Amino acid sequence: MSKAAIGIFDSGIGGTSILKEIHALLPNEHCIYLADSKNAPYGSKSKDAILQLSIKNTELLLAKGCKIIVVACNTATTNAIDYLRENYAIPFIGIEPAIKPAALNTQTKAVGILATKGTLSSQLFHKTTDLYAHGIKVVEQVGEGIVPLIETGQLHSSEMTALLKIYLEPMLKHNIDYLVLGCTHYPYLIPMLSKMLPAHVKIIDSGLAVARQTKAVLSSYDLLNDFDVTARIQLFSNGDIEILKSILNDQFETSYLDF
Ligand code: DGL
């Protein structure tokens, strides 16, 4: 079983930011990635719709023999991971906005969070915020429109710059010193965001933490691939694979799959 692949899914190409972190930390591990671009964005869907899509992706990764599943999507994690853990026998790793480190380290006592509507309205997000952000101003912002632009190859567009300006404005008014990226599509915005934010504002995302957690859980289940192999990284998308390939600079094996 340790030779089986790590299964990873997202509503589209965003979770590749997590795939890259996992591959960098665990270069021996085979990975199978599902980009459910056909159904993106998940962020504006109902909890039940997100759950059904998460089940569909999970079943496909299980059919492909995966040993663990990384839900590389904040929206799917915050809305579906409890169900998945209760109903399937393999371990699941999720991703949540990194509110805790931001709240613990802020000097200005104000942090910004950019995430989808589905994540910001979830119970899990509210629980984490209540737990760690006492006395801290959390400026929440739904990143409406960002995912569709990325999914249609418009990452570096004037529309994107205009949206980001609007979304950052209230955060800057509250003098945030941390910006939490609560969606796996958003790390691709870091070069743009860094130019738009004052130098003292730190951007944090949870990608590396997820990769480390994946390693720890695989190790605890004795599922790490200790064999000296060249990892096979396969990506399947039910959307435009050219956009997926270009965001990955053709680094991995990418094919179209209707799922
Ligand atoms: N990349 C996803 C996330 O982390 C989902 C974005 C979406 O489909 O709305 O939330």
Side-chain angles (χ1 to χ4, degrees):
M1 193 62 187
S2 63
K3 286 186 187 163
I6 297 174
I8 305 169
F9 76 82
D10 179 39
S11 61
I13 62 185
T16 57
S17 60
I18 308 296
L19 167 69
K20 286 182 194 167
E21 299 278 7
I22 290 175
H23 182 53
L25 190 70
L26 298 164
N28 283 3
E29 298 290 340
H30 306 300
C31 295
I32 298 177
Y33 180 93
L34 299 182
D36 190 11
S37 295
K38 190 171 77 180
N39 293 300
Y42 282 12
S44 47
K45 292 186 162 51
S46 69
K47 184 176 170 70
D48 190 54
I50 296 165
L51 179 61
Q52 295 313 319
L53 291 166
S54 301
I55 291 171
K56 176 199 66 165
N57 297 331
T58 296
E59 302 264 342
L60 181 51
L61 289 170
L62 288 176
K64 289 184 177 293
C66 293
K67 60 185 175 183
I68 187 169
I69 292 180
V70 179
V71 181
C73 174
N74 292 260
T75 312
T77 298
T78 49
N79 287 279
I81 203 158
D82 290 346
Y83 178 92
L84 298 176
R85 286 188 172 133
E86 275 162 30
N87 288 277
Y88 296 94
I90 62 163
F92 284 86
I93 306 293
I95 178 162
E96 282 181 68
I99 283 288
K100 183 180 170 185
L104 288 178
N105 292 304
T106 175
Q107 300 295 308
T108 60
K109 301 289 171 222
V111 303
I113 158 102
L114 190 60
T116 68
K117 188 166 151 240
T119 295
L120 293 177
S121 59
S122 69
Q123 273 180 2
L124 197 54
F125 174 73
H126 286 291
K127 223 167 99 183
T128 313
T129 310
D130 289 348
L131 199 63
Y132 298 112
H134 265 294
I136 309 282
K137 173 74 189 160
V138 178
V139 187
E140 296 179 18
Q141 178 64 56
V142 174
E144 190 73 45
I146 295 177
V147 169
L149 283 177
I150 296 176
E151 289 289 327
T152 50
Q154 298 177 78
L155 175 60
H156 302 289
S157 60
S158 51
E159 286 86 343
M160 185 68 89
T161 313
L163 273 186
L164 294 180
K165 256 195 196 139
I166 295 169
Y167 295 159
L168 295 180
E169 202 184 275
M171 300 190 188
L172 295 175
K173 264 197 191 133
H174 281 95
N175 195 22
I176 63 157
D177 58 356
Y178 278 86
L179 170 61
V180 178
L181 301 183
C183 170
T184 53
H185 282 72
Y186 299 171
Y188 287 109
L189 301 169
I190 290 176
M192 297 168 84
L193 289 168
S194 308
K195 281 190 200 143
M196 299 169 83
L197 288 166
H200 72 279
V201 178
K202 295 174 198 66
I203 302 172
I204 43 178
D205 76 88
S206 320
L208 180 58
V210 170
R212 287 189 178 136
Q213 178 68 2
T214 305
K215 184 176 180 182
V217 172
L218 283 175
S219 169
S220 73
Y221 282 83
D222 207 14
L223 283 174
L224 278 172
N225 189 352
D226 298 321
F227 301 89
D228 190 15
V229 289
T230 309
R232 183 167 185 204
I233 311 295
Q234 292 173 277
L235 289 93
F236 298 98
S237 167
N238 54 17
D240 186 338
I241 66 165
E242 292 311 318
I243 294 171
L244 180 58
K245 279 184 179 170
S246 79
I247 213 150
L248 293 168
N249 300 321
D250 266 328
Q251 200 189 344
F252 304 120
E253 208 182 308
T254 306
S255 17
Y256 177 80
L257 183 70
D258 192 12
F259 61 95

